[in-house]
Amino acid sequence: MANFAIIRTPPQHSPRTGGSNIQSARICTKMNIFSQLYRKKNPTSHLFATFAPINRITIKYPAMKVYKFGGASVKSADGVRNLRHIVDGEENLFIIVSAMGKTTNALEEVFTCMQKGDKQEGLDRIKRIVEYHDSIITDLWGAPTRIEQVDLLFGQLRNILVDTTYRTSDAELWYDTIVAFGELISTTIVSEYLKHTGIDNRWIDMRTTFVTNQRHKDAYVDIKASEPRLKEALENTGVSVFVGQGFIGAAPDGTTTTLGREGSDYSAAVVANILDAESMSVWKDVDGVLNADPKIFPDAVQIAELNYLDAIELAYSGAQIIHPRTIKPLQNKNIPLYVRPFGDKRKPGTVIRAMSAPVDVPILILKKNQVLLTIRSRDFSFVLEERFATIFSLFERFRLKTNLIHNSAVNLSLCVDNSWHIDEAVNALRANGFDVMKTGDMELLTIRGYTDELWRRYAKGPQVFIRQSTQATVRVVRKR
């Protein structure tokens, strides 16, 4: 059992508001009244988290480790058993778990049914998700077994689908509310199975500990505001192993937020930062960080170590190493990140830390599902680059993520992630005096440390629309 030294300090300034604890209590009271009014109309909904005013707490923790397991690692009963094998004997451990298998994709389909108003189809899809999780539970326990909290969560999901009056303006809010159930259900199963097999632990609802901004589908965690909440959730639990959800948090108004696809890595890094962890490990279905996706580039090889800056650059280029926001919370506390093979915990994997040996192999990163927007001002004012601010403010308004920029005297070409709002952004650009050509079905290939052979193979040909190169890196926007 972990020994925590608890030091309470007198109420001074609220970490959320910079004011007194009385101010904090007033804010929390307003949020909770709003939450209660909502629940009167929707008594079964867990859309809103409840924030309580808290005293400042300083907790002296033993050296903690943070383990993160992705959906592929817990997609089956065998995967959950292997997770249990990996954490066996560990103390002072915080486990972050993603939704099982392709559950997030399945919940996105439920959300699509809400958008279309097809509640029966949505219920049918929920039924299939229930059956998938029931099969894992039955396999783990060796017989059909009901877990009360899992049943409760699925009941809440059905009620949200049936009772919600959907409005397009609330699309991101309801998306987050629905897809978050994947992590809530998976962590409940994992936590209960660990208890069932002799590993005592505490399940943590990260919506009550992670305070995010109000940006649904792509939220940032406010680490300063979240720190006292997470530490208080771990206080006086009598256990040294904790299980929490990746990917989710709650906005200041109490609504559920998500941290972007693959955001569980980021969740784990924030936990590691707050708890001053000795290390963070991401358990994956590969031996470590590879120089390319082996499903696309069969001759991919493992990289033994990377430094933080290399990892950030690769992540923002689209490498499926870790979530792009993961590095900063670790770098700020100099916490090493290990990418380790889920199938064999004895293998060292790849370590990402402040200092590392140079990477001596080319790195290939393919980012799919891209759209190329070519924008021209009708008055040719790009010659003076006067209207860039208008374009990028519209991109921010419609939440388009730009991955490559290429400009000439009269054209501005931008390679962006495909998005629900891309057509709205195109219409807004045209309304502001721009001609826009949209080209879909694109992909962005980044090659770091390219060779002549790689240049000939990937950076030439009629399918290449844009090519940018430096001494070390070439980036190619091309038709799939």
Side-chain angles (χ1 to χ4, degrees):
M1 182 183 299
N3 295 313
F4 301 140
I6 312 299
I7 304 170
R8 291 189 177 274
T9 57
Q12 296 175 2
H13 286 81
S14 164
R16 295 173 62 83
T17 65
S20 69
N21 271 20
I22 295 174
Q23 290 173 305
S24 175
R26 286 173 179 163
I27 292 171
C28 294
T29 300
K30 289 179 180 178
M31 290 192 296
N32 290 337
I33 290 172
F34 183 49
S35 172
Q36 290 163 15
L37 290 173
Y38 177 85
R39 285 198 177 102
K40 284 183 179 180
K41 296 183 179 180
N42 301 269
T44 60
S45 174
H46 275 220
L47 171 62
F48 291 96
T50 300
F51 293 104
I54 59 175
N55 291 325
R56 293 176 63 196
I57 300 170
T58 302
I59 304 179
K60 181 67 175 178
Y61 286 93
M64 295 283 288
K65 294 180 182 177
V66 178
Y67 284 179
K68 179 261 177 176
F69 296 89
S73 300
V74 291
K75 66 182 179 181
S76 66
D78 284 343
V80 177
R81 279 189 281 264
N82 194 44
L83 180 154
R84 196 257 182 238
H85 169 68
I86 289 172
V87 305
D88 188 32
E90 294 280 4
E91 292 186 347
N92 307 322
L93 179 67
F94 201 111
I95 304 168
I96 291 289
V97 184
S98 300
M100 291 177 161
K102 299 296 184 182
T103 299
T104 300
N105 293 347
L107 288 167
E108 286 178 333
E109 293 172 354
V110 173
F111 170 70
T112 299
C113 292
M114 174 187 278
Q115 289 181 301
K116 294 177 179 177
D118 191 344
K119 295 182 179 181
Q120 186 56 55
E121 175 64 19
L123 290 171
D124 290 343
R125 291 186 179 277
I126 291 173
K127 182 181 178 181
R128 291 195 283 273
I129 299 171
V130 171
E131 291 170 348
Y132 166 64
H133 287 84
D134 279 351
S135 69
I136 293 175
I137 293 170
T138 297
D139 193 335
L140 289 171
W141 269 260
T145 303
R146 307 308 317 163
I147 299 177
E148 182 180 357
Q149 184 61 24
V150 171
D151 292 340
L152 179 63
L153 287 166
F154 276 121
Q156 292 168 4
L157 177 59
R158 292 187 195 95
N159 290 339
I160 288 170
L161 175 68
V162 171
D163 297 341
T164 298
T165 301
Y166 175 78
R167 295 182 300 179
T168 303
S169 59
D170 294 330
E172 281 84 4
L173 183 154
W174 290 115
Y175 173 92
D176 283 358
T177 303
I178 288 173
V179 299
F181 279 91
E183 276 69 19
L184 294 168
I185 292 163
S186 69
T187 51
T188 300
I189 294 172
V190 168
S191 176
E192 291 299 317
Y193 179 69
L194 292 179
K195 291 177 185 176
H196 176 68
T197 56
I199 298 180
D200 199 11
N201 69 91
R202 172 62 61 93
W203 183 85
I204 304 293
D205 186 343
M206 302 305 289
R207 297 173 300 176
T208 66
T209 62
F210 273 6
V211 182
T212 74
N213 59 357
Q214 200 67 44
R215 188 181 178 96
H216 290 282
K217 277 196 79 184
D218 192 28
Y220 281 82
V221 178
D222 183 337
I223 293 180
K224 185 177 289 187
S226 302
E227 180 175 352
R229 301 185 184 281
L230 180 61
K231 288 183 175 179
E232 187 172 59
L234 273 56
E235 181 187 358
N236 296 326
T237 58
V239 301
S240 64
V241 177
F242 305 90
V243 179
Q245 308 80 41
F247 182 55
I248 69 173
D253 66 359
T255 53
T256 300
T257 52
T258 63
L259 311 180
R261 288 301 295 261
E262 311 301 329
S264 294
D265 293 342
Y266 175 42
S267 297
V270 172
V271 170
N273 177 288
I274 290 173
L275 301 182
D276 292 309
E278 68 175 51
S279 66
M280 170 181 156
S281 295
V282 177
W283 297 87
K284 300 177 76 71
D285 56 356
V286 292
D287 285 347
V289 175
L290 305 182
N291 73 321
D293 185 342
K295 298 173 185 175
I296 303 171
F297 306 100
D299 53 353
V301 297
Q302 183 180 342
I303 300 171
E305 54 183 297
L306 287 167
N307 61 49
Y308 291 134
L309 294 178
D310 285 340
I312 290 171
E313 182 180 340
L314 297 177
Y316 274 98
S317 295
Q320 296 299 306
I321 307 171
I322 48 171
H323 189 280
R325 297 177 191 162
T326 302
I327 294 298
K328 183 172 174 54
L330 301 176
Q331 185 181 23
N332 288 349
K333 295 285 185 76
N334 200 25
I335 298 169
L337 167 63
Y338 295 89
V339 181
R340 302 176 66 183
F342 182 69
D344 188 350
K345 69 177 184 178
R346 296 169 299 178
K347 291 184 177 180
T350 297
V351 61
I352 300 171
R353 55 193 172 195
M355 301 293 290
S356 72
V359 178
D360 58 1
V361 295
I363 297 175
L364 293 83
I365 305 161
L366 186 65
K367 196 172 180 65
K368 298 182 178 180
N369 198 24
Q370 300 293 291
V371 174
L372 181 63
L373 299 179
T374 302
I375 304 168
R376 175 180 295 174
S377 177
R378 295 187 188 122
D379 61 4
F380 297 102
S381 59
F382 279 164
V383 174
L384 301 177
E385 299 182 350
E386 293 174 342
R387 304 200 62 193
F388 281 16
T390 301
I391 293 170
F392 287 107
S393 66
L394 288 171
F395 272 48
E396 173 63 22
R397 173 182 163 192
F398 292 104
R399 300 171 65 171
L400 299 188
K401 183 177 184 300
T402 304
N403 299 309
L404 180 141
I405 301 171
H406 185 83
N407 69 297
S408 67
V410 294
N411 286 340
L412 179 67
S413 296
L414 302 109
C415 183
V416 302
D417 287 346
N418 204 352
S419 162
W420 294 344
H421 303 297
I422 200 159
D423 289 333
E424 297 173 63
V426 168
N427 291 335
L429 287 165
R430 288 170 177 161
N432 276 268
F434 298 100
D435 291 325
V436 184
M437 183 172 68
K438 172 187 168 187
T439 308
D441 203 28
M442 305 295 287
E443 56 189 20
L444 172 62
L445 176 65
T446 301
I447 308 175
R448 182 176 173 186
Y450 64 90
T451 63
D452 290 341
E453 179 188 353
L454 292 173
W455 177 282
R456 288 192 299 269
R457 188 186 305 176
Y458 297 115
K460 298 179 70 174
Q463 78 278 18
V464 174
F465 279 56
I466 295 175
R467 180 176 55 241
Q468 292 181 346
S469 64
T470 65
Q471 190 173 13
T473 301
V474 61
R475 307 190 78 199
V476 177
V477 179
R478 64 184 192 181
K479 198 76 173 175
R480 280 177 50 195

